Structure formats: structure tokens, C-alpha cells
């Protein structure tokens, strides 16, 4: 039983490692392994697998399919013979997402140390193309928890949309907008 548990833990670790490798090279630094993404962020799967192997990180097609299917955040999309990251790029890509009408409120997870800057400047995309927002508090809480004790901000998306701000929704359900000015943010009451 212990051997089986260790095997499962190793498989999970490998899945996370492959997912992080894919994110790095499909969202941020494709050139590090000699990839050229098309304008929409797609690359041929065979090209990706060959580049990964040539750079000391071999991944089988079965392993790639498992990582794409098992990723609870659906970070990657496969279309026939191609793959791309669903969102979160720091490189210039056009995901071709049509404008979408957001729900009345969206949520953003962060940590307390960022609140002062957010109060002054609102939410900015930082090193990404867009600000990422969640449709529910639970998801925003998980996002914020990656960096410490989470703080969830409410975004008056209906007012933003009414005032002309454009929203898109990625294939994995992440809401995207260029920025969120401070006036559309609701901060939790300090305790």
C-alpha cells in the first residue's frame, strides 16, 4: 500500500511539474525551448513535445493529454493537433475571445500587502495582458491563497460594463478585462 501511495504521489508531482513546464512555455517564454506560437497562442503538439525533449524535459503524448484533462483549472486547450494556454499570457497573443456581458459582480483574490496599491491604482494586469477575475468568491479565495492569507475584492462588473469597459471570458471560465479602476472595487471591512 505504501508503494502504491508513493507511486500516486510521484504521479501527482510529475503532473504538476509538467503543468508548470507547459505554463511557462505556452504563456511566458516559448522561445526558451525554440517554440514559435501563432498569433492566437497555438503550437503544434508534435512541435511542443519535440522541443521539450530536445531541452531535457521529455513528455509523452499520453502524459500531455492527462495533464490537460486532469487540470482542474483547465489551463490548456487542445484543438485537433494543436495546444495553447487558455489565458494568463505575458507574451503578445490574441485569444480571439469575443466581448461578453459579465455577471453583476466578479471577484478578485489577492493578499493584504497589495491592498494599498490596489486602493490607489485599482487592479492592473501587471505582467499579463488582462486582469483575471473569478465568477465566485470561492475561486477568488483559492487564487489569493496562492500568495498568502487571501483577501477577496468584489468588482462591480455591471457598472464597469455599463460605463464601457470590455470583458471577455476565457475557455476555462476566467473573466478578463484590461484594468479595474478603484471606483469599481469593494474592499472587505477590516476586522
Amino acid at each position: 500500500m505504501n508503494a502504491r501511495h508513493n507511486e500516486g504521489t510521484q504521479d501527482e508531482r510529475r503532473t504538476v511539474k509538467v503543468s508548470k513546464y507547459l505554463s511557462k512555455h505556452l504563456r511566458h517564454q516559448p522561445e526558451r525551448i525554440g517554440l514559435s506560437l501563432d498569433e492566437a497562442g497555438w503550437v503544434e503538439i508534435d512541435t511542443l513535445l519535440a522541443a521539450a525533449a530536445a531541452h531535457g524535459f521529455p513528455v509523452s503524448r499520453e502524459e500531455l493529454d492527462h495533464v490537460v484533462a486532469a487540470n482542474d483549472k483547465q489551463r490548456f486547450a487542445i484543438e485537433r493537433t494543436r495546444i495553447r494556454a487558455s489565458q494568463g499570457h505575458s507574451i503578445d497573443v490574441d485569444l480571439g475571445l469575443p466581448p461578453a456581458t459579465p455577471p453583476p459582480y466578479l471577484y478578485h483574490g489577492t493578499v493584504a500587502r497589495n491592498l494599498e496599491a490596489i486602493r490607489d491604482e485599482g487592479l492592473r494586469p501587471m505582467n499579463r495582458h488582462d486582469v483575471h477575475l473569478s465568477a465566485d468568491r470561492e475561486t477568488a479565495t483559492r487564487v489569493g491563497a496562492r500568495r498568502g492569507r487571501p483577501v477577496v475584492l468584489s468588482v462591480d462588473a455591471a457598472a464597469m460594463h455599463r460605463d464601457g469597459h470590455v470583458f471577455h471570458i476565457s475557455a476555462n471560465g476566467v473573466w478578463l478585462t484590461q484594468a479595474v479602476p478603484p471606483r469599481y472595487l469593494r474592499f472587505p471591512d477590516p476586522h
Side-chain angles (χ1 to χ4, degrees):
M1 177 139 168
N2 254 355
R4 189 174 292 169
H5 173 73
N6 285 346
E7 196 174 290
T9 303
Q10 284 179 323
D11 289 347
E12 289 169 28
R13 276 197 287 249
R14 173 66 180 175
T15 297
V16 168
K17 194 172 184 178
V18 171
S19 179
K20 287 183 176 187
Y21 186 87
L22 293 175
S23 288
K24 180 177 189 172
H25 297 98
L26 294 177
R27 293 165 76 180
H28 307 297
Q29 298 176 321
E31 73 285 352
R32 278 190 69 158
I33 60 171
L35 292 180
S36 293
L37 308 181
D38 73 11
E39 65 281 349
W42 294 103
V43 67
E44 290 292 323
I45 292 171
D46 290 344
T47 303
L48 169 66
L49 296 178
H55 287 84
F57 195 84
V59 178
S60 70
R61 176 60 196 253
E62 294 75 25
E63 197 172 26
L64 176 79
D65 289 340
H66 171 73
V67 167
V68 171
N71 190 285
D72 62 338
K73 294 179 184 136
Q74 298 177 319
R75 284 195 166 114
F76 312 103
I78 290 181
E79 188 180 87
R80 295 184 295 280
T81 62
R82 306 180 306 165
I83 185 170
R84 77 174 179 182
S86 295
Q87 97 290 322
H89 298 82
S90 60
I91 57 173
D92 195 20
V93 298
D94 179 3
L95 296 175
L97 303 173
T101 301
Y105 286 91
L106 291 168
Y107 304 93
H108 183 80
T110 189
V111 290
R113 68 180 171 270
N114 297 335
L115 292 179
E116 187 176 334
I118 293 170
R119 284 183 202 281
D120 291 342
E121 303 168 19
L123 297 173
R124 297 177 299 126
M126 307 308 280
N127 65 342
R128 295 181 173 176
H129 286 283
D130 293 297
V131 171
H132 292 198
L133 303 170
S134 304
D136 59 82
R137 288 181 180 280
E138 295 76 24
T139 302
T141 300
R142 283 195 305 275
V143 169
R146 285 188 253 160
R147 292 179 181 83
R149 188 167 167 207
V151 176
V152 176
L153 308 177
S154 298
V155 175
D156 190 345
M160 283 184 67
H161 185 66
R162 194 172 46 249
D163 292 346
H165 294 267
V166 178
F167 289 84
H168 303 276
I169 186 166
S170 69
N172 60 342
V174 175
W175 284 89
L176 308 168
T177 192
Q178 285 186 332
V180 179
R183 69 181 171 276
Y184 299 107
L185 292 169
R186 304 294 173 268
F187 294 83
D189 293 327
H191 292 67

